[in-house]
Amino acid sequence: QYLESRPDYFKDLVEVIRLSGMEDVFENEEITFFAPTDWSIRGSFNYLNRVWYRMGHDSIKSFNQIKPEVWREMLSMYIVKDKYLLKDIPQIDTTAIAAYPGQTFITYGGLPMNVGVVYGDANGVKYVGPRQILYSYIYDITVSDLKNAYVATSDIQPKNGVVHVLRMTDHDFGFDRRLFALKAIEEGIDE
């Protein structure tokens, strides 16, 4: 309901949820959802369209030309079972990761994601400033490489969980637009 109430940010996201067949998860299960905005979905979709066009195909005009499995897999990266507010998430410091590593959560799709709260500095004093959630895709455990997404608005509490809205200007849907394009092309595009 919250996402539907904000079509200025989540009109495409609501459509993706519908296309993925995951409405029951969002309506009935207790989840923490790191919500990508339409800006990030459109950015990845437009990248896919450029790749698809360079491969000699007509433009993809609609989200429903992409298989539901792709939407489900990508959307599952943003869902964690149970409810986690900012206060429930441990600290992360990317410059002192051994001391403040955040916490690994397993997503709805079974992927490991790191979640932590970045404690900002204020007036030269470490960790006493503003706090912001950092949600990271662990895409290569062998090199501890992370794709990061900062939360712009946290702790929105609909009836069955919590929504943390990801910052819209620097996040690709699927954490990497190339990964999204590859998955969509591998599954097949309906023409």
Side-chain angles (χ1 to χ4, degrees), residues 20-47:
S20 73
M22 297 181 78
E23 300 99 325
D24 282 350
V25 172
F26 284 88
E27 292 172 3
N28 301 318
E29 295 188 31
E30 186 172 70
I31 60 172
T32 299
F33 181 49
F34 293 88
T37 63
D38 289 353
W39 189 93
S40 70
I41 293 170
R42 280 283 162 189
S44 291
F45 180 78
N46 291 340
Y47 178 81

Side-chain angles (χ1 to χ4, degrees), residues 2-57:
Y2 168 73
L3 299 174
E4 289 174 337
S5 76
R6 295 302 310 262
D8 49 333
Y9 288 104
F10 304 118
K11 180 176 162 278
D12 292 339
L13 177 59
V14 169
E15 182 180 357
V16 165
I17 291 168
R18 184 184 56 76
L19 291 170
S20 73
M22 297 181 78
E23 300 99 325
D24 282 350
V25 172
F26 284 88
E27 292 172 3
N28 301 318
E29 295 188 31
E30 186 172 70
I31 60 172
T32 299
F33 181 49
F34 293 88
T37 63
D38 289 353
W39 189 93
S40 70
I41 293 170
R42 280 283 162 189
S44 291
F45 180 78
N46 291 340
Y47 178 81
L48 166 61
N49 233 337
R50 288 191 301 275
V51 170
W52 190 243
Y53 182 77
R54 282 194 301 261
M55 292 173 66
H57 301 281

Side-chain angles (χ1 to χ4, degrees), residues 88-123:
D88 303 320
I89 300 170
Q91 182 178 357
I92 189 169
D93 183 339
T94 57
T95 64
I97 205 80
Y100 301 106
Q103 182 178 347
T104 300
F105 288 70
I106 302 300
T107 66
Y108 213 80
L111 293 173
M113 303 293 277
N114 195 70
V115 183
V117 176
V118 176
Y119 286 58
D121 299 343
N123 298 323

Side-chain angles (χ1 to χ4, degrees), residues 6-191:
R6 295 302 310 262
D8 49 333
Y9 288 104
F10 304 118
K11 180 176 162 278
D12 292 339
L13 177 59
V14 169
E15 182 180 357
V16 165
I17 291 168
R18 184 184 56 76
L19 291 170
S20 73
M22 297 181 78
E23 300 99 325
D24 282 350
V25 172
F26 284 88
E27 292 172 3
N28 301 318
E29 295 188 31
E30 186 172 70
I31 60 172
T32 299
F33 181 49
F34 293 88
T37 63
D38 289 353
W39 189 93
S40 70
I41 293 170
R42 280 283 162 189
S44 291
F45 180 78
N46 291 340
Y47 178 81
L48 166 61
N49 233 337
R50 288 191 301 275
V51 170
W52 190 243
Y53 182 77
R54 282 194 301 261
M55 292 173 66
H57 301 281
D58 286 337
S59 294
I60 304 165
K61 296 188 180 5
S62 171
F63 289 162
N64 65 9
Q65 291 177 257
I66 298 168
K67 299 284 191 265
E69 298 80 32
V70 174
W71 292 123
R72 192 173 308 110
E73 181 179 342
M74 295 290 122
L75 199 54
S76 293
M77 297 175 82
Y78 299 93
I79 304 169
V80 175
K81 290 182 183 185
D82 298 319
K83 181 178 179 178
Y84 297 97
L85 298 169
L86 185 142
K87 70 178 179 62
D88 303 320
I89 300 170
Q91 182 178 357
I92 189 169
D93 183 339
T94 57
T95 64
I97 205 80
Y100 301 106
Q103 182 178 347
T104 300
F105 288 70
I106 302 300
T107 66
Y108 213 80
L111 293 173
M113 303 293 277
N114 195 70
V115 183
V117 176
V118 176
Y119 286 58
D121 299 343
N123 298 323
V125 181
K126 269 186 108 39
Y127 307 138
V128 299
R131 297 176 181 180
Q132 185 175 27
I133 299 173
L134 179 63
Y135 189 61
S136 305
Y137 173 40
I138 306 169
Y139 72 95
D140 189 346
I141 292 176
T142 60
V143 294
S144 299
D145 216 345
L146 303 174
K147 292 271 188 186
N148 297 322
Y150 281 93
V151 169
T153 304
S154 63
D155 292 359
I156 300 162
Q157 297 181 63
K159 65 179 176 133
N160 63 319
V162 64
V163 175
H164 302 295
V165 179
L166 298 178
R167 206 163 61 186
M168 63 191 219
T169 56
D170 58 359
H171 177 70
D172 292 330
F173 184 68
F175 285 82
D176 185 333
R177 59 182 58 189
R178 294 168 300 181
L179 175 65
F180 173 75
L182 180 65
K183 296 280 184 191
I185 291 167
E186 280 179 356
E187 291 294 327
I189 305 289
D190 294 335
E191 295 189 65

